[in-house]
Amino acid sequence: MIREIIDFTKDIIKDCPDIMQRNLKPNGGLYIFVDIDGEGNWVNENGTYGQDYLYLKADASESPIPISTITAFEEEVKRVGTTMNKVLDKKKQIFSCSPFAVVFKKKSLSNGKIEGIKGEKISKLLSGYFENTKKLCPLETYQQVVDFEKICGIVLNGLENFIRVKSDGEKNVLINQLKDDEYISILFKSVSLETYTYAHDCYFKDKLFNTDKFNKTKKGILYGLSGFLNGLNSKKTFLLHRTASMDEGLCGRISSEDALFLDKFQSLILRRVLPNPLPIAINQRKINQLLLNLFHENETPLSYRELIKSLFEQHEIKELSEFYLLNYSKAKDIVINDIDFVPMFRYYFDNPILIENVMLVGEKINGVFEEEYAIRLENIFDFERIVVKEIFNRREDDLYSWYFMNIKSNQSKSGYLMYQLNMKYRIPFYNYIYKSKQNAINTLMFDEIMFTSILVDIVDKKKEVKNRFSLNYGIKRKLNIWFSLYNLFNNNKKKEVMASNVTDLMSKMRIVARGEAVLETPEEFAFAAGQLVSYLMDKSVASDKTYSMLEPYLQKTKSKHLQDAIAHVFSQYKHAVSIYGKAFKALASNVLTYNEDIDMKPLLKYFLAGCFSNCVIYEKKEEN
């Protein structure tokens, strides 16, 4: 994978030459640009504010000196760490690593003097600093660096006088605008940016390795232990990679050139120049370039979902295959959440999938009840946007980060049960959606997910029953998903038409309620029991009636236990049931006398469907 990242970075830098300048922001602080002539004289000693020096905030978007110019120089003088083998001064006070720059923080200033740790002056560090940086500069610029070192000493000794700015006839001391963590940058403007880059690359070729302890030179090329997302465990025996190919006790040495491109890749990620997740297509340079151009075609970068949608729908790419998918988080450093090879990504379903409105969800408009239309899923992100959002009680705007975000159990609005469901199944859904791993979710998992998700809504004490027990459209929508998408995760050759089962069961219930048939299958018994329980719950006169009243029934593992629970509740509400209710009698007698000992767990979806379908016991009365 490291080789693929290196090749990917090389290609995009060639194909998009300005990419290393994108999203660069200035460090902020005081910038002093020193110009020296061929005789070593300081040309702009009495410089002009906004041309030879200026103060700039870190979030500044405009400047007398173009922001892109400032950030380009800053990028070529940054150091890569704070350990002694990374810095170029003894006291770690100078943050640059270039013979053409001296950068330090304002907090090194005290009482008008520039002081470092333990009273050491920055000016006293210049000699050692430039002794190291002179090794990095091209030979033809050596004398210029000597002159620049001398001028830097002058600048430091007269810094307060240098940074006064005339404004409205009054003198303001610019240093008072600086915050402790802001920088003072002295930059040599008499050499080109290419010369800066040359010196910086020389620094990188050695300092980008985790340590120089394991460096080796082969055929004139320096190799070392990669510092890219790599902790040094050479002293921890049990953390060494014993299964990898070893070279003198180490594995994974890379060349200095490769280390440089890995650093550039890391810089692009930290600046959010690359999408997340990041697809890296293997041997498909045009696809990588197209993805990157699409990502940056608007001022606001496209989300991964929008990126893939544009690729398939607007550019009519037929398939996206053989790529690594890298998912990362960015804080101070990069955290790799997931990385995997995807042989073939499925964007469109083979055939559009319908979430049918089997539970008859709808609303009254102008006094007429209108059912919701079936929901059509054409691609995998329709599935994510509609189905995943509904199942896990998420907001659509947080689905992007949900898969790897840090979720705390006490922060879940839907309670601990939904927290557990999120933590257990979000990665399988990520694999199913983003990597097209169709076996990531099976029917057993889907049953557990849907039942738990509905149970969360049932035990929610805030969901009061204000009308009939069956009128909870949130639960009904989840039941629509359960029955309509069951076969999506059924990898068996035998496919059940689950959505039509509810319609068939409702038809059977009407016949049973009329006394013209009996319950024959376990599914019919579970559905009828749900119908009966729904009716009995409607008879409750509790002032704080909620759907949690269903919970005791859902805990019954055997049909006979469920029958006992229904009989017990009927004895409580028998005064509210009319003796003329023939439909109730027929349905109750069938449920309570059903003679098979059934395991209820596989039938819970039918029981819940019965609870939240329109109760057939009311239908006869309404027809009359």
Side-chain angles (χ1 to χ4, degrees):
M1 178 62 197
I2 292 295
R3 175 47 53 191
E4 283 75 15
I5 289 177
I6 293 168
D7 292 341
F8 168 78
T9 308
K10 287 181 179 179
D11 289 342
I12 62 175
I13 290 175
K14 289 179 182 177
D15 296 334
C16 308
D18 67 330
I19 194 169
M20 294 308 300
Q21 304 303 318
R22 292 182 186 176
N23 293 356
L24 278 176
K25 295 182 179 179
N27 290 330
L30 173 65
Y31 296 89
I32 303 171
F33 294 89
V34 172
D35 193 5
I36 303 175
D37 64 18
E39 302 298 325
N41 299 314
W42 184 6
V43 176
N44 59 343
E45 182 175 0
N46 299 313
T48 303
Y49 182 80
Q51 178 178 333
D52 299 304
Y53 64 102
L54 79 163
Y55 169 76
L56 198 63
K57 291 184 177 180
D59 58 351
S61 58
E62 295 182 357
S63 166
I65 300 175
I67 296 290
S68 59
T69 300
I70 294 173
T71 55
F73 280 107
E74 282 186 331
E75 190 69 5
E76 298 303 337
V77 303
K78 67 178 182 180
R79 69 186 189 190
V80 295
T82 57
T83 58
M84 288 307 298
N85 68 314
K86 307 290 186 183
V87 300
L88 300 181
D89 67 297
K90 295 179 181 179
K91 300 297 182 180
K92 301 182 182 180
Q93 290 291 284
I94 300 177
F95 286 78
S96 52
C97 61
S98 171
F100 311 116
V102 177
V103 180
F104 53 92
K105 285 191 175 182
K106 190 244 181 170
K107 63 184 178 182
S108 296
L109 299 174
S110 176
N111 299 324
K113 295 182 180 180
I114 304 171
E115 297 180 350
I117 297 174
K118 299 180 181 178
E120 291 285 344
K121 292 184 178 180
I122 294 283
S123 56
K124 289 185 177 181
L125 298 176
L126 290 184
S127 176
Y129 173 74
F130 277 101
E131 183 180 348
N132 290 319
T133 60
K134 286 172 186 174
K135 301 174 185 177
L136 307 174
C137 68
L139 185 61
E140 62 271 18
T141 64
Y142 185 85
Q143 183 57 48
Q144 288 177 296
V145 173
V146 172
D147 296 335
F148 178 62
E149 178 184 358
K150 181 181 66 174
I151 300 302
C152 283
I154 298 173
V155 172
L156 291 173
N157 290 330
L159 185 60
E160 281 201 359
N161 294 324
F162 182 76
I163 58 176
R164 294 183 185 275
V165 183
K166 289 185 177 181
S167 175
D168 299 328
E170 296 181 2
K171 289 186 176 181
N172 298 321
V173 180
L174 197 62
I175 198 68
N176 293 334
Q177 299 182 35
L178 287 171
K179 298 178 181 178
D180 284 346
D181 282 333
E182 289 184 310
Y183 295 89
I184 297 175
S185 303
I186 306 173
L187 301 169
F188 189 22
K189 66 185 273 189
S190 301
V191 296
S192 66
L193 184 62
E194 289 74 17
T195 306
Y196 270 81
T197 303
Y198 174 87
H200 201 221
D201 287 352
C202 290
Y203 165 83
F204 270 172
K205 285 179 180 180
D206 180 39
K207 304 305 181 183
L208 283 176
F209 293 129
N210 216 319
T211 176
D212 56 8
K213 182 178 179 181
F214 304 107
N215 289 1
K216 294 180 67 176
T217 301
K218 298 179 182 179
K219 297 181 180 179
I221 300 175
L222 181 65
Y223 290 84
L225 186 64
S226 172
F228 175 69
L229 303 177
N230 182 27
L232 181 60
N233 297 317
S234 59
K235 294 181 180 180
K236 299 179 181 180
T237 304
F238 294 103
L239 294 180
L240 291 176
H241 298 283
R242 295 297 186 187
T243 57
S245 58
M246 307 292 286
D247 180 11
E248 297 182 4
L250 281 178
C251 64
R253 280 191 178 91
I254 63 171
S255 70
S256 56
E257 182 184 6
D258 288 344
L260 181 60
F261 280 105
L262 287 175
D263 180 78
K264 292 180 184 294
F265 176 78
Q266 180 169 300
S267 177
L268 292 173
I269 285 184
L270 289 172
R271 299 203 313 265
R272 303 186 188 278
V273 176
L274 302 176
N276 187 20
L278 171 63
I280 300 177
I282 309 302
N283 299 323
Q284 300 176 75
R285 187 168 173 176
K286 290 184 178 179
I287 290 292
N288 289 330
Q289 184 180 0
L290 176 58
L291 283 168
L292 199 61
N293 290 337
L294 289 173
F295 183 64
H296 288 286
E297 67 180 0
N298 299 314
E299 289 187 9
T300 303
L302 297 178
S303 68
Y304 184 77
R305 187 188 302 160
E306 294 167 335
L307 186 64
I308 299 300
K309 180 179 179 180
S310 179
L311 189 70
F312 278 86
E313 296 183 9
Q314 296 179 19
H315 294 268
E316 298 182 352
I317 297 296
K318 300 300 180 183
E319 64 180 38
L320 182 59
S321 61
E322 296 187 344
F323 64 95
Y324 283 96
L325 188 65
L326 173 64
N327 189 298
Y328 60 88
S329 298
K330 174 195 167 295
K332 290 184 179 179
D333 297 310
I334 301 170
V335 176
I336 301 298
N337 297 321
D338 181 78
I339 187 167
D340 203 355
F341 181 74
V342 181
M344 178 66 72
F345 175 72
R346 176 187 63 165
Y347 177 69
Y348 291 108
F349 291 113
D350 294 336
N351 295 297
I353 297 170
L354 289 181
I355 301 177
E356 298 184 26
N357 190 10
V358 294
M359 301 302 298
L360 303 182
V361 177
E363 60 179 329
K364 279 190 176 182
I365 301 176
N366 297 326
V368 178
F369 181 80
E370 294 188 10
E371 295 179 14
E372 292 183 358
Y373 294 107
I375 300 173
R376 184 183 178 93
L377 308 178
E378 294 191 350
N379 61 65
I380 195 65
F381 293 125
D382 288 344
F383 172 85
E384 179 186 42
R385 178 176 52 85
I386 296 169
V387 177
V388 177
K389 169 179 169 290
E390 189 76 42
I391 292 175
F392 293 96
N393 293 354
R394 307 302 307 181
R395 300 190 313 272
E396 186 176 342
D397 58 0
D398 81 344
L399 280 176
Y400 165 74
S401 59
W402 165 67
Y403 299 101
F404 299 102
M405 69 189 298
N406 184 21
I407 305 175
K408 296 182 179 179
S409 58
N410 59 353
Q411 293 178 338
S412 177
K413 295 181 180 179
S414 301
Y416 189 70
L417 198 61
M418 182 56 78
Y419 163 77
Q420 287 183 311
L421 190 69
N422 276 259
M423 297 302 291
K424 185 175 181 180
Y425 286 112
R426 59 181 180 168
I427 296 303
F429 272 88
Y430 177 80
N431 291 336
Y432 181 82
I433 294 168
Y434 288 85
K435 303 181 198 173
S436 297
K437 292 187 176 181
Q438 298 188 42
N439 60 349
I441 306 169
N442 57 41
T443 52
L444 291 176
M445 294 166 64
F446 188 61
D447 281 345
E448 181 185 353
I449 291 165
M450 295 310 306
F451 174 71
T452 306
S453 180
I454 291 171
L455 183 61
V456 167
D457 291 349
I458 287 174
V459 300
D460 188 348
K461 302 295 183 181
K462 297 178 182 178
K463 295 185 182 294
E464 296 183 3
V465 182
K466 297 181 180 179
N467 202 323
R468 287 186 182 175
F469 199 80
S470 60
L471 295 180
N472 183 304
Y473 289 159
I475 293 176
K476 284 189 171 188
R477 287 190 178 94
K478 290 184 178 181
L479 286 166
N480 283 341
I481 290 172
W482 197 350
F483 281 92
S484 298
L485 301 188
Y486 181 84
N487 278 330
L488 192 61
F489 309 105
N490 185 0
N491 296 322
N492 299 325
K493 292 182 180 179
K494 183 180 178 181
K495 302 284 187 180
E496 294 183 71
V497 187
M498 295 293 291
S500 65
N501 286 356
V502 176
T503 305
D504 296 340
L505 288 168
M506 280 297 296
S507 299
K508 182 63 179 284
M509 293 306 108
R510 293 186 181 98
I511 301 172
V512 173
R514 291 199 298 266
E516 299 172 3
V518 297
L519 301 176
E520 297 175 302
T521 66
E523 291 78 11
E524 291 175 359
F525 164 77
F527 193 90
Q531 290 267 290
L532 201 57
V533 167
S534 173
Y535 180 77
L536 292 173
M537 294 300 98
D538 286 341
K539 300 304 176 183
S540 170
V541 293
S543 59
D544 57 345
K545 190 161 57 172
T546 67
Y547 290 95
S548 61
M549 298 168 69
L550 269 182
E551 194 174 1
Y553 300 100
L554 298 175
Q555 295 174 354
K556 307 305 177 186
T557 57
K558 295 291 183 179
S559 57
K560 60 183 180 181
H561 298 152
L562 180 60
Q563 289 169 320
D564 292 341
I566 293 172
H568 176 70
V569 172
F570 173 68
S571 68
Q572 292 179 306
Y573 302 142
K574 58 182 181 294
H575 59 279
V577 180
S578 172
I579 60 173
Y580 301 106
K582 294 181 180 180
F584 173 81
K585 289 180 181 179
L587 201 62
S589 63
N590 267 272
V591 169
L592 295 175
T593 59
Y594 192 76
N595 201 27
E596 293 187 31
D597 189 17
I598 308 170
D599 184 5
M600 287 302 300
K601 187 174 180 179
L603 301 171
L604 286 173
K605 57 178 168 287
Y606 294 101
F607 174 76
L608 288 169
C611 287
F612 291 96
S613 293
N614 294 334
C615 186
V616 295
I617 298 173
Y618 293 113
E619 289 187 0
K620 183 68 175 177
K621 183 177 180 180
E622 289 170 353
E623 288 172 7
N624 290 341

